[in-house]
Amino acid sequence: MVCTNANLILMLILAPLPFSLAVLLLRRSEILKEPLTIIGSFIPLAISVPILQRVMDEGYISAFGNELLIDHLSAIFLLGISFVGFFASIFAHRYMRQHPLIARVGVEIAERRLGIFYSLFLFFLSTMLWSVSTNNIIILWVAIEATTIASALLVSFYWDRRALEAGYKYLLLLTVGVTFSLFGAVIIYAASAPYIAHGSPLLFTNIKEVISKIPASIILLSAVLFTVGFGTKAGLAPFHPWLPDAHAEAPTPISVLLSGIMVEVGLYALLRTLGLFLPAYPAVASTLLVLAVFSMLLGALLAMVQSDLKRLLAYSSVSQIGYIAMGLGVGTYLGYYGAFYQLISHILAKSLLFMCVGAIIYSLALRNIEELGGVGKHMPITMACFFIGAFSLSGIPPLAGFLSKLTLIIATAQVHLWWLLILTLLTSLLTLFYAVRAAYTVFWGEEKSEVIKEAKEAPMSILFPILVFSILTFVLGVYPQILYPLLNSASLLAPFK
Protein backbone atom coordinates (compact mmCIF):
# COMPACT_ATOMS: atom_id res chain seq x y z
CA MET A 1 0.00 0.00 0.00
CA VAL A 2 1.28 3.44 -0.92
CA CYS A 3 1.67 5.56 2.20
CA THR A 4 -0.11 8.68 0.98
CA ASN A 5 -0.94 11.41 3.44
CA ALA A 6 -4.56 10.19 3.55
CA ASN A 7 -3.46 6.64 4.34
CA LEU A 8 -1.12 7.79 7.08
CA ILE A 9 -3.63 10.08 8.78
CA LEU A 10 -6.46 7.55 8.56
CA MET A 11 -4.25 4.77 9.91
CA LEU A 12 -3.20 7.01 12.77
CA ILE A 13 -6.76 7.87 13.81
CA LEU A 14 -8.39 4.51 13.10
CA ALA A 15 -5.62 2.10 14.18
CA PRO A 16 -6.88 1.69 17.79
CA LEU A 17 -10.49 0.93 16.71
CA PRO A 18 -10.15 -2.66 15.39
CA PHE A 19 -8.22 -3.52 18.52
CA SER A 20 -10.93 -1.89 20.62
CA LEU A 21 -13.52 -4.09 18.93
CA ALA A 22 -11.35 -7.19 19.23
CA VAL A 23 -10.77 -6.60 22.96
CA LEU A 24 -14.52 -6.16 23.46
CA LEU A 25 -15.33 -9.38 21.61
CA LEU A 26 -12.57 -11.28 23.44
CA ARG A 27 -13.29 -9.74 26.84
CA ARG A 28 -13.66 -13.17 28.47
CA SER A 29 -10.14 -14.14 27.44
CA GLU A 30 -7.65 -13.89 30.31
CA ILE A 31 -4.55 -13.52 28.14
CA LEU A 32 -5.44 -11.48 25.04
CA LYS A 33 -6.92 -8.26 26.41
CA GLU A 34 -3.71 -6.59 27.57
CA PRO A 35 -1.48 -7.56 24.59
CA LEU A 36 -4.11 -6.37 22.11
CA THR A 37 -4.44 -3.08 23.97
CA ILE A 38 -0.70 -2.48 24.04
CA ILE A 39 -0.39 -3.25 20.31
CA GLY A 40 -3.40 -1.04 19.53
CA SER A 41 -1.75 1.80 21.48
CA PHE A 42 1.67 1.29 19.94
CA ILE A 43 0.59 1.55 16.28
CA PRO A 44 -0.45 5.26 16.52
CA LEU A 45 2.90 6.02 18.17
CA ALA A 46 4.76 4.23 15.38
CA ILE A 47 2.73 6.06 12.69
CA SER A 48 3.12 9.46 14.35
CA VAL A 49 6.89 9.33 13.73
CA PRO A 50 6.73 9.31 9.87
CA ILE A 51 3.88 11.84 10.05
CA LEU A 52 6.08 14.13 12.13
CA GLN A 53 8.90 13.71 9.62
CA ARG A 54 6.60 14.64 6.71
CA VAL A 55 5.26 17.65 8.57
CA MET A 56 8.81 18.82 9.31
CA ASP A 57 9.71 18.40 5.61
CA GLU A 58 6.54 19.75 3.98
CA GLY A 59 5.11 22.17 6.56
CA TYR A 60 1.82 20.29 6.84
CA ILE A 61 0.04 17.28 5.41
CA SER A 62 -3.65 17.06 4.58
CA ALA A 63 -6.23 14.69 3.11
CA PHE A 64 -9.81 14.65 1.78
CA GLY A 65 -9.83 18.24 0.55
CA ASN A 66 -8.14 19.53 3.71
CA GLU A 67 -10.83 18.01 5.96
CA LEU A 68 -7.95 16.35 7.80
CA LEU A 69 -4.87 18.52 8.26
CA ILE A 70 -1.80 18.07 10.41
CA ASP A 71 0.64 20.93 10.90
CA HIS A 72 3.41 21.38 13.46
CA LEU A 73 0.95 22.22 16.25
CA SER A 74 -1.15 19.14 15.54
CA ALA A 75 2.02 17.05 15.34
CA ILE A 76 3.00 18.03 18.91
CA PHE A 77 -0.36 16.85 20.21
CA LEU A 78 -0.41 13.68 18.09
CA LEU A 79 2.98 12.70 19.42
CA GLY A 80 1.92 13.49 23.00
CA ILE A 81 -1.36 11.55 22.78
CA SER A 82 0.17 8.46 21.18
CA PHE A 83 3.19 8.49 23.52
CA VAL A 84 1.19 8.83 26.74
CA GLY A 85 -1.43 6.38 25.43
CA PHE A 86 1.14 3.68 24.73
CA PHE A 87 2.87 3.92 28.11
CA ALA A 88 -0.46 4.22 29.96
CA SER A 89 -1.51 0.93 28.33
CA ILE A 90 1.68 -0.74 29.63
CA PHE A 91 1.07 0.76 33.07
CA ALA A 92 -2.52 -0.52 33.07
CA HIS A 93 -1.44 -4.09 32.29
CA ARG A 94 -0.68 -4.98 35.93
CA TYR A 95 -2.32 -2.04 37.68
CA MET A 96 -5.86 -2.94 36.62
CA ARG A 97 -5.52 -6.44 38.03
CA GLN A 98 -4.76 -5.38 41.59
CA HIS A 99 -6.78 -5.05 44.72
CA PRO A 100 -8.54 -1.67 44.45
CA LEU A 101 -10.45 -2.79 41.38
CA ILE A 102 -11.10 -6.25 42.78
CA ALA A 103 -12.10 -4.88 46.20
CA ARG A 104 -14.51 -2.38 44.67
CA VAL A 105 -16.29 -4.66 42.19
CA GLY A 106 -15.41 -8.27 43.05
CA VAL A 107 -13.17 -10.78 41.25
CA GLU A 108 -15.65 -12.12 38.72
CA ILE A 109 -17.08 -8.74 37.75
CA ALA A 110 -13.59 -7.20 37.61
CA GLU A 111 -12.44 -9.76 35.04
CA ARG A 112 -15.49 -9.13 32.86
CA ARG A 113 -15.17 -5.38 33.07
CA LEU A 114 -11.51 -5.35 32.17
CA GLY A 115 -12.37 -6.08 28.54
CA ILE A 116 -14.77 -3.13 28.49
CA PHE A 117 -12.14 -0.95 30.14
CA TYR A 118 -9.48 -1.71 27.52
CA SER A 119 -11.96 -1.36 24.67
CA LEU A 120 -13.01 2.10 25.91
CA PHE A 121 -9.35 2.99 26.52
CA LEU A 122 -8.52 2.43 22.84
CA PHE A 123 -11.67 4.22 21.67
CA PHE A 124 -10.79 7.19 23.88
CA LEU A 125 -7.31 7.26 22.35
CA SER A 126 -8.75 7.27 18.83
CA THR A 127 -11.13 10.17 19.58
CA MET A 128 -8.29 12.30 20.94
CA LEU A 129 -6.19 11.62 17.83
CA TRP A 130 -9.19 12.58 15.68
CA SER A 131 -9.69 15.85 17.62
CA VAL A 132 -6.23 17.17 16.78
CA SER A 133 -6.26 15.99 13.14
CA THR A 134 -9.43 17.62 11.87
CA ASN A 135 -9.53 20.95 10.03
CA ASN A 136 -13.33 21.20 10.27
CA ILE A 137 -14.70 23.47 13.01
CA ILE A 138 -17.90 21.42 13.54
CA ILE A 139 -16.10 18.08 13.39
CA LEU A 140 -13.70 19.42 16.02
CA TRP A 141 -16.66 19.84 18.36
CA VAL A 142 -17.98 16.36 17.46
CA ALA A 143 -14.58 14.79 18.16
CA ILE A 144 -14.22 16.67 21.46
CA GLU A 145 -17.67 15.45 22.50
CA ALA A 146 -16.66 11.90 21.55
CA THR A 147 -13.66 12.16 23.90
CA THR A 148 -16.06 13.27 26.65
CA ILE A 149 -18.42 10.32 26.20
CA ALA A 150 -15.60 7.76 26.06
CA SER A 151 -13.80 9.20 29.06
CA ALA A 152 -17.03 9.60 31.10
CA LEU A 153 -17.59 5.85 30.86
CA LEU A 154 -13.99 5.28 31.97
CA VAL A 155 -14.33 7.70 34.90
CA SER A 156 -17.44 5.76 36.02
CA PHE A 157 -15.70 2.45 35.45
CA TYR A 158 -15.84 1.19 39.06
CA TRP A 159 -19.61 1.67 38.87
CA ASP A 160 -20.07 2.31 42.59
CA ARG A 161 -21.59 5.42 44.13
CA ARG A 162 -18.39 7.50 44.16
CA ALA A 163 -17.46 6.63 40.60
CA LEU A 164 -20.99 7.18 39.26
CA GLU A 165 -21.27 10.55 40.97
CA ALA A 166 -17.93 11.64 39.52
CA GLY A 167 -18.86 10.32 36.07
CA TYR A 168 -22.28 12.00 36.12
CA LYS A 169 -20.80 15.32 37.21
CA TYR A 170 -18.07 15.00 34.60
CA LEU A 171 -20.47 14.21 31.76
CA LEU A 172 -23.02 16.85 32.74
CA LEU A 173 -20.61 19.75 33.24
CA LEU A 174 -18.48 18.98 30.19
CA THR A 175 -21.44 18.39 27.87
CA VAL A 176 -23.12 21.62 28.92
CA GLY A 177 -19.84 23.53 28.82
CA VAL A 178 -18.66 22.26 25.45
CA THR A 179 -22.09 23.00 23.93
CA PHE A 180 -21.19 26.68 24.15
CA SER A 181 -18.38 26.05 21.70
CA LEU A 182 -20.87 24.47 19.26
CA PHE A 183 -22.87 27.71 19.31
CA GLY A 184 -19.64 29.61 18.64
CA ALA A 185 -18.77 27.32 15.72
CA VAL A 186 -22.23 27.69 14.16
CA ILE A 187 -22.09 31.49 14.45
CA ILE A 188 -18.66 31.66 12.82
CA TYR A 189 -19.76 29.28 10.06
CA ALA A 190 -22.89 31.35 9.31
CA ALA A 191 -20.93 34.61 9.36
CA SER A 192 -18.09 33.41 7.12
CA ALA A 193 -20.11 31.36 4.59
CA PRO A 194 -21.24 34.36 2.44
CA TYR A 195 -17.61 35.40 1.89
CA ILE A 196 -16.23 31.99 0.90
CA ALA A 197 -16.86 31.44 -2.81
CA HIS A 198 -14.85 28.25 -3.16
CA GLY A 199 -14.35 25.46 -0.66
CA SER A 200 -16.13 24.58 2.55
CA PRO A 201 -16.93 27.39 5.02
CA LEU A 202 -16.44 24.84 7.81
CA LEU A 203 -12.69 24.53 7.34
CA PHE A 204 -10.39 26.53 9.61
CA THR A 205 -8.07 27.28 6.69
CA ASN A 206 -10.92 28.85 4.68
CA ILE A 207 -12.50 30.73 7.62
CA LYS A 208 -9.14 32.28 8.44
CA GLU A 209 -8.98 33.87 4.97
CA VAL A 210 -12.22 35.84 5.46
CA ILE A 211 -12.21 36.44 9.21
CA SER A 212 -11.38 40.16 8.75
CA LYS A 213 -14.72 40.65 6.91
CA ILE A 214 -16.85 39.41 9.83
CA PRO A 215 -18.30 42.11 12.15
CA ALA A 216 -16.44 42.61 15.42
CA SER A 217 -19.56 41.96 17.53
CA ILE A 218 -19.91 38.47 16.03
CA ILE A 219 -16.22 37.76 16.54
CA LEU A 220 -16.32 38.75 20.20
CA LEU A 221 -19.51 36.75 20.87
CA SER A 222 -17.93 33.68 19.27
CA ALA A 223 -14.72 34.17 21.25
CA VAL A 224 -16.69 34.20 24.52
CA LEU A 225 -18.55 31.03 23.54
CA PHE A 226 -15.33 29.24 22.53
CA THR A 227 -13.61 30.34 25.74
CA VAL A 228 -16.40 28.98 27.93
CA GLY A 229 -16.83 25.79 25.86
CA PHE A 230 -13.30 24.64 25.20
CA GLY A 231 -12.05 26.34 28.38
CA THR A 232 -14.29 23.92 30.28
CA LYS A 233 -12.74 20.99 28.45
CA ALA A 234 -9.25 22.34 29.21
CA GLY A 235 -10.04 22.64 32.93
CA LEU A 236 -9.35 26.38 33.07
CA ALA A 237 -10.71 28.07 36.19
CA PRO A 238 -13.53 28.92 36.79
CA PHE A 239 -14.76 26.18 34.44
CA HIS A 240 -12.84 23.41 36.24
CA PRO A 241 -15.24 21.90 38.89
CA TRP A 242 -15.56 18.62 36.93
CA LEU A 243 -11.83 18.00 37.04
CA PRO A 244 -10.88 17.01 40.64
CA ASP A 245 -13.60 14.38 41.11
CA ALA A 246 -13.05 12.86 37.67
CA HIS A 247 -9.28 12.62 38.01
CA ALA A 248 -9.52 11.25 41.54
CA GLU A 249 -12.19 8.60 40.92
CA ALA A 250 -11.00 7.35 37.52
CA PRO A 251 -8.66 4.33 37.46
CA THR A 252 -5.10 5.68 37.57
CA PRO A 253 -4.23 4.86 33.91
CA ILE A 254 -7.22 7.01 32.94
CA SER A 255 -6.14 9.75 35.37
CA VAL A 256 -2.84 9.72 33.46
CA LEU A 257 -4.68 10.24 30.17
CA LEU A 258 -7.09 12.85 31.57
CA SER A 259 -4.51 15.01 33.30
CA GLY A 260 -1.55 14.17 31.09
CA ILE A 261 -3.18 14.80 27.72
CA MET A 262 -6.98 15.25 27.54
CA VAL A 263 -7.09 18.68 29.17
CA GLU A 264 -4.37 19.69 26.70
CA VAL A 265 -6.62 18.57 23.83
CA GLY A 266 -9.21 21.01 25.17
CA LEU A 267 -6.57 23.71 25.14
CA TYR A 268 -5.67 22.74 21.56
CA ALA A 269 -9.31 23.31 20.52
CA LEU A 270 -9.28 26.67 22.32
CA LEU A 271 -6.09 27.71 20.54
CA ARG A 272 -7.39 26.61 17.11
CA THR A 273 -10.61 28.59 17.50
CA LEU A 274 -9.31 31.70 19.28
CA GLY A 275 -6.33 31.65 16.91
CA LEU A 276 -8.75 32.71 14.16
CA PHE A 277 -9.25 36.05 15.89
CA LEU A 278 -5.76 36.85 17.14
CA PRO A 279 -3.97 39.21 16.94
CA ALA A 280 -6.64 41.48 15.36
CA TYR A 281 -8.69 41.39 18.59
CA PRO A 282 -6.35 42.00 21.55
CA ALA A 283 -9.33 41.86 23.94
CA VAL A 284 -9.53 38.11 23.27
CA ALA A 285 -5.87 37.63 24.28
CA SER A 286 -6.36 39.83 27.37
CA THR A 287 -9.36 37.77 28.48
CA LEU A 288 -7.38 34.57 28.04
CA LEU A 289 -4.54 36.08 30.07
CA VAL A 290 -6.85 36.95 32.99
CA LEU A 291 -8.35 33.45 32.99
CA ALA A 292 -4.86 31.95 32.83
CA VAL A 293 -3.62 33.87 35.88
CA PHE A 294 -6.80 33.06 37.82
CA SER A 295 -6.38 29.39 36.94
CA MET A 296 -2.69 29.34 37.91
CA LEU A 297 -3.30 30.85 41.33
CA LEU A 298 -6.59 29.16 42.21
CA GLY A 299 -5.31 25.72 41.18
CA ALA A 300 -2.13 26.12 43.24
CA LEU A 301 -4.00 27.40 46.32
CA LEU A 302 -6.55 24.57 46.18
CA ALA A 303 -3.79 21.99 45.67
CA MET A 304 -2.16 23.19 48.90
CA VAL A 305 -5.13 22.13 51.03
CA GLN A 306 -5.68 18.68 49.53
CA SER A 307 -4.90 15.53 51.49
CA ASP A 308 -5.78 13.12 48.68
CA LEU A 309 -2.78 12.74 46.35
CA LYS A 310 -4.87 12.34 43.20
CA ARG A 311 -6.99 15.40 44.00
CA LEU A 312 -3.82 17.37 44.72
CA LEU A 313 -2.46 16.46 41.28
CA ALA A 314 -5.82 17.26 39.69
CA TYR A 315 -5.87 20.80 41.14
CA SER A 316 -2.24 21.10 40.12
CA SER A 317 -3.36 20.47 36.53
CA VAL A 318 -5.75 23.43 36.78
CA SER A 319 -2.77 25.56 37.77
CA GLN A 320 -0.35 24.19 35.16
CA ILE A 321 -2.87 24.54 32.33
CA GLY A 322 -3.01 28.18 33.39
CA TYR A 323 0.71 28.49 32.60
CA ILE A 324 0.13 27.20 29.06
CA ALA A 325 -2.82 29.55 28.53
CA MET A 326 -0.70 32.41 29.88
CA GLY A 327 1.91 31.88 27.17
CA LEU A 328 -0.83 31.90 24.52
CA GLY A 329 -2.32 35.04 26.05
CA VAL A 330 1.04 36.86 26.00
CA GLY A 331 0.82 36.29 22.27
CA THR A 332 4.47 36.71 21.24
CA TYR A 333 6.76 34.18 19.59
CA LEU A 334 8.48 33.50 22.91
CA GLY A 335 5.11 33.24 24.67
CA TYR A 336 3.95 30.56 22.26
CA TYR A 337 7.31 28.77 22.42
CA GLY A 338 7.14 28.72 26.23
CA ALA A 339 3.51 27.56 26.14
CA PHE A 340 4.33 24.62 23.87
CA TYR A 341 7.39 23.76 25.95
CA GLN A 342 5.25 23.92 29.10
CA LEU A 343 2.70 21.68 27.38
CA ILE A 344 5.31 18.96 26.83
CA SER A 345 6.91 19.31 30.28
CA HIS A 346 3.46 19.13 31.90
CA ILE A 347 2.52 16.02 29.91
CA LEU A 348 5.67 14.32 31.16
CA ALA A 349 5.60 15.52 34.78
CA LYS A 350 1.89 15.00 35.41
CA SER A 351 1.80 11.57 33.76
CA LEU A 352 4.86 10.64 35.83
CA LEU A 353 3.33 11.85 39.11
CA PHE A 354 0.01 10.09 38.55
CA MET A 355 1.87 6.88 37.73
CA CYS A 356 3.94 7.20 40.93
CA VAL A 357 0.73 7.64 42.93
CA GLY A 358 -0.63 4.60 41.09
CA ALA A 359 2.44 2.62 42.17
CA ILE A 360 1.74 3.60 45.80
CA ILE A 361 -1.92 2.60 45.44
CA TYR A 362 -0.84 -0.67 43.87
CA SER A 363 1.44 -1.42 46.79
CA LEU A 364 -0.60 -0.10 49.73
CA ALA A 365 -4.12 0.69 48.49
CA LEU A 366 -3.64 4.12 50.09
CA ARG A 367 -3.55 7.59 48.54
CA ASN A 368 -4.32 9.90 51.45
CA ILE A 369 -1.27 11.91 52.51
CA GLU A 370 -2.32 11.75 56.17
CA GLU A 371 -2.21 7.93 56.09
CA LEU A 372 1.17 7.72 54.37
CA GLY A 373 4.73 8.32 55.61
CA GLY A 374 8.09 6.65 55.40
CA VAL A 375 7.22 5.00 52.10
CA GLY A 376 10.53 6.05 50.56
CA LYS A 377 12.72 3.41 52.22
CA HIS A 378 10.42 0.68 50.90
CA MET A 379 9.92 2.23 47.43
CA PRO A 380 13.13 4.17 46.64
CA ILE A 381 12.71 4.14 42.85
CA THR A 382 9.16 5.46 43.07
CA MET A 383 10.34 8.11 45.55
CA ALA A 384 13.16 9.30 43.26
CA CYS A 385 10.84 9.48 40.26
CA PHE A 386 8.13 11.31 42.24
CA PHE A 387 10.65 13.95 43.28
CA ILE A 388 11.75 14.37 39.64
CA GLY A 389 8.13 14.98 38.66
CA ALA A 390 7.49 17.31 41.61
CA PHE A 391 10.64 19.36 40.94
CA SER A 392 9.90 19.62 37.23
CA LEU A 393 6.35 20.76 37.99
CA SER A 394 7.82 23.42 40.33
CA GLY A 395 10.33 24.66 37.75
CA ILE A 396 13.51 23.44 39.45
CA PRO A 397 16.64 23.03 37.24
CA PRO A 398 17.83 21.06 35.38
CA LEU A 399 14.44 19.50 34.58
CA ALA A 400 12.13 20.21 31.64
CA GLY A 401 9.72 22.28 33.75
CA PHE A 402 12.48 24.73 34.63
CA LEU A 403 13.18 25.73 31.04
CA SER A 404 9.50 25.94 30.08
CA LYS A 405 8.71 28.24 33.00
CA LEU A 406 11.87 30.27 32.45
CA THR A 407 10.85 30.81 28.82
CA LEU A 408 7.39 31.97 29.93
CA ILE A 409 8.89 34.34 32.50
CA ILE A 410 11.24 35.84 29.89
CA ALA A 411 8.27 36.20 27.53
CA THR A 412 6.34 38.22 30.14
CA ALA A 413 9.40 40.40 30.84
CA GLN A 414 9.86 40.97 27.11
CA VAL A 415 6.41 42.62 26.89
CA HIS A 416 6.85 44.40 30.26
CA LEU A 417 4.01 42.56 31.99
CA TRP A 418 5.72 42.84 35.38
CA TRP A 419 2.60 42.05 37.40
CA LEU A 420 2.26 38.83 35.44
CA LEU A 421 5.89 37.97 36.02
CA ILE A 422 5.48 38.41 39.79
CA LEU A 423 2.33 36.27 39.87
CA THR A 424 4.05 33.59 37.79
CA LEU A 425 6.95 33.46 40.24
CA LEU A 426 4.53 33.38 43.17
CA THR A 427 2.63 30.46 41.64
CA SER A 428 5.91 28.59 41.10
CA LEU A 429 6.72 29.00 44.80
CA LEU A 430 3.25 27.73 45.75
CA THR A 431 3.75 24.75 43.43
CA LEU A 432 7.12 24.00 44.99
CA PHE A 433 5.55 24.18 48.45
CA TYR A 434 2.66 21.78 47.88
CA ALA A 435 4.58 19.35 45.67
CA VAL A 436 7.61 19.04 47.96
CA ARG A 437 5.47 18.95 51.12
CA ALA A 438 3.44 16.07 49.68
CA ALA A 439 6.58 14.23 48.55
CA TYR A 440 8.33 14.74 51.91
CA THR A 441 5.33 13.63 53.96
CA VAL A 442 4.62 10.56 51.86
CA PHE A 443 8.19 9.32 51.41
CA TRP A 444 10.19 10.70 54.35
CA GLY A 445 7.59 11.37 57.00
CA GLU A 446 6.89 9.17 59.99
CA GLU A 447 5.32 5.79 59.25
CA LYS A 448 1.67 6.16 60.22
CA SER A 449 0.76 2.48 60.47
CA GLU A 450 2.07 -1.06 60.29
CA VAL A 451 0.69 -1.30 56.75
CA ILE A 452 3.52 0.95 55.52
CA LYS A 453 6.07 -1.72 56.45
CA GLU A 454 4.50 -3.98 53.82
CA ALA A 455 5.16 -1.48 51.04
CA LYS A 456 7.37 -2.63 48.15
CA GLU A 457 8.16 -1.48 44.66
CA ALA A 458 5.53 -2.12 42.01
CA PRO A 459 6.25 -4.68 39.26
CA MET A 460 8.48 -3.68 36.34
CA SER A 461 5.51 -3.20 33.98
CA ILE A 462 4.44 -0.35 36.27
CA LEU A 463 7.94 0.95 37.00
CA PHE A 464 9.04 0.94 33.34
CA PRO A 465 6.72 3.77 32.18
CA ILE A 466 7.62 5.70 35.35
CA LEU A 467 11.33 5.40 34.57
CA VAL A 468 10.81 6.40 30.92
CA PHE A 469 8.92 9.57 31.86
CA SER A 470 11.51 10.40 34.55
CA ILE A 471 14.42 10.05 32.12
CA LEU A 472 12.67 12.15 29.47
CA THR A 473 11.87 14.86 32.02
CA PHE A 474 15.57 15.06 32.81
CA VAL A 475 16.82 14.77 29.21
CA LEU A 476 14.50 17.51 27.89
CA GLY A 477 15.73 19.76 30.67
CA VAL A 478 19.41 19.17 29.87
CA TYR A 479 19.11 18.99 26.05
CA PRO A 480 16.21 21.32 25.15
CA GLN A 481 17.56 21.66 21.61
CA ILE A 482 15.98 18.26 20.84
CA LEU A 483 12.59 19.97 20.79
CA TYR A 484 13.68 23.21 19.13
CA PRO A 485 12.88 22.38 15.45
CA LEU A 486 9.31 21.28 16.26
CA LEU A 487 8.54 23.97 18.86
CA ASN A 488 10.06 26.69 16.69
CA SER A 489 7.97 25.67 13.66
CA ALA A 490 4.78 25.44 15.77
CA SER A 491 5.47 28.84 17.34
CA LEU A 492 6.06 30.46 13.93
CA LEU A 493 2.58 29.28 12.87
CA ALA A 494 0.95 31.03 15.82
CA PRO A 495 -0.87 34.35 15.41
CA PHE A 496 1.50 36.94 16.90
CA LYS A 497 0.62 40.33 18.25
Side-chain angles (χ1 to χ4, degrees):
M1 183 174 66
V2 178
C3 279
T4 61
N5 291 339
N7 287 337
L8 271 179
I9 299 174
L10 280 180
M11 280 195 294
L12 177 81
I13 298 171
L14 300 179
L17 295 183
F19 291 90
S20 171
L21 182 62
V23 169
L24 187 63
L25 294 174
L26 298 170
R27 61 185 179 278
R28 294 188 182 277
S29 167
E30 293 187 4
I31 57 172
L32 290 176
K33 293 189 287 285
E34 286 85 0
L36 285 172
T37 304
I38 292 172
I39 295 170
S41 305
F42 174 74
I43 292 175
L45 179 59
I47 297 173
S48 66
V49 175
I51 284 184
L52 176 62
Q53 187 59 53
R54 287 198 183 187
V55 170
M56 294 303 292
D57 293 340
E58 303 169 20
Y60 70 92
I61 61 172
S62 63
F64 306 112
N66 284 342
E67 284 287 335
L68 297 174
L69 189 147
I70 297 175
D71 57 15
H72 295 89
L73 180 61
S74 304
I76 293 174
F77 283 83
L78 286 174
L79 203 58
I81 293 166
S82 52
F83 185 82
V84 175
F86 172 60
F87 283 99
S89 72
I90 296 175
F91 181 88
H93 175 211
R94 288 292 295 274
Y95 181 86
M96 291 304 295
R97 287 186 177 275
Q98 45 82 46
H99 42 85
L101 171 62
I102 295 170
R104 287 180 76 167
V105 301
V107 177
E108 188 177 342
I109 296 176
E111 188 61 38
R112 279 208 310 272
R113 287 190 187 170
L114 273 180
I116 298 171
F117 170 83
Y118 287 122
S119 179
L120 287 171
F121 180 99
L122 289 166
F123 180 70
F124 181 32
L125 203 58
S126 179
T127 57
M128 287 195 288
L129 293 167
W130 183 27
S131 299
V132 298
S133 303
T134 182
N135 185 37
N136 185 308
I137 196 167
I138 297 294
I139 296 298
L140 174 64
W141 177 82
V142 173
I144 291 287
E145 274 295 80
T147 68
T148 301
I149 293 168
S151 51
L153 293 170
L154 288 164
V155 168
S156 310
F157 179 72
Y158 289 122
W159 216 251
D160 56 15
R161 183 174 178 175
R162 277 163 40 203
L164 287 173
E165 280 182 2
Y168 174 74
K169 186 177 176 183
Y170 173 84
L171 186 62
L172 181 67
L173 293 181
L174 273 187
T175 301
V176 172
V178 176
T179 301
F180 282 91
S181 58
L182 174 62
F183 296 148
V186 170
I187 289 172
I188 284 297
Y189 160 72
S192 59
Y195 302 108
I196 298 175
H198 304 288
S200 170
L202 292 173
L203 300 187
F204 281 102
T205 43
N206 292 338
I207 295 171
K208 198 171 183 178
E209 297 296 324
V210 301
I211 202 73
S212 60
K213 298 176 182 175
I214 299 175
S217 57
I218 292 178
I219 294 288
L220 293 175
L221 174 62
S222 302
V224 170
L225 293 170
F226 285 134
T227 302
V228 174
F230 291 134
T232 303
K233 185 73 176 179
L236 272 176
F239 314 116
H240 69 285
W242 63 269
L243 195 146
D245 289 342
H247 289 213
E249 290 307 321
T252 300
I254 303 307
S255 303
V256 171
L257 289 181
L258 291 177
S259 205
I261 198 69
M262 195 199 75
V263 291
E264 281 84 355
V265 171
L267 206 60
Y268 169 87
L270 192 62
L271 177 59
R272 279 292 185 212
T273 48
L274 294 188
L276 292 169
F277 316 135
L278 298 171
Y281 295 88
V284 176
S286 300
T287 305
L288 185 60
L289 208 54
V290 170
L291 284 176
V293 172
F294 182 57
S295 198
M296 282 163 51
L297 284 171
L298 184 69
L301 290 171
L302 290 174
M304 290 175 66
V305 297
Q306 301 303 313
S307 58
D308 183 310
L309 278 170
K310 289 182 79 173
R311 290 182 72 87
L312 181 150
L313 294 179
Y315 278 113
S316 168
S317 291
V318 175
S319 179
Q320 299 297 311
I321 285 293
Y323 278 98
I324 303 171
M326 184 194 82
L328 306 179
V330 168
T332 62
Y333 166 83
L334 205 57
Y336 280 100
Y337 193 96
F340 298 146
Y341 206 144
Q342 170 68 10
L343 171 80
I344 292 173
S345 71
H346 180 246
I347 288 172
L348 292 174
K350 196 50 62 66
S351 301
L352 168 61
L353 288 168
F354 265 111
M355 287 182 186
C356 288
V357 172
I360 295 171
I361 296 172
Y362 183 90
S363 177
L364 293 167
L366 297 174
R367 66 185 204 202
N368 193 312
I369 297 172
E370 306 301 327
E371 297 174 346
L372 293 163
V375 176
K377 61 185 175 185
H378 306 287
M379 303 176 70
I381 299 174
T382 304
M383 177 181 70
C385 295
F386 191 95
F387 269 97
I388 289 174
F391 283 148
S392 181
L393 207 64
S394 310
I396 300 297
L399 302 167
F402 166 69
L403 285 176
S404 64
K405 288 186 171 60
L406 179 64
T407 308
L408 287 171
I409 287 169
I410 294 172
T412 59
Q414 199 177 49
V415 293
H416 308 295
L417 290 172
W418 306 114
W419 64 272
L420 183 59
L421 189 151
I422 293 169
L423 290 176
T424 304
L425 289 172
L426 174 63
T427 308
S428 290
L429 289 174
L430 295 177
T431 305
L432 181 65
F433 175 77
Y434 70 71
V436 172
R437 187 190 63 166
Y440 178 85
T441 306
V442 170
F443 293 105
W444 285 344
E446 181 186 350
E447 292 185 3
K448 305 288 174 47
S449 68
E450 292 297 313
V451 176
I452 304 296
K453 293 184 171 57
E454 299 172 10
K456 60 180 181 181
E457 290 288 6
M460 186 47 71
S461 63
I462 289 179
L463 283 181
F464 175 64
I466 291 174
L467 290 169
V468 169
F469 278 80
S470 300
I471 292 168
L472 275 177
T473 301
F474 177 76
V475 169
L476 293 183
V478 177
Y479 298 105
Q481 55 268 42
I482 298 172
L483 292 174
Y484 176 77
L486 181 58
L487 297 187
N488 178 55
S489 301
S491 302
L492 288 172
L493 284 176
F496 301 135
K497 282 181 180 175

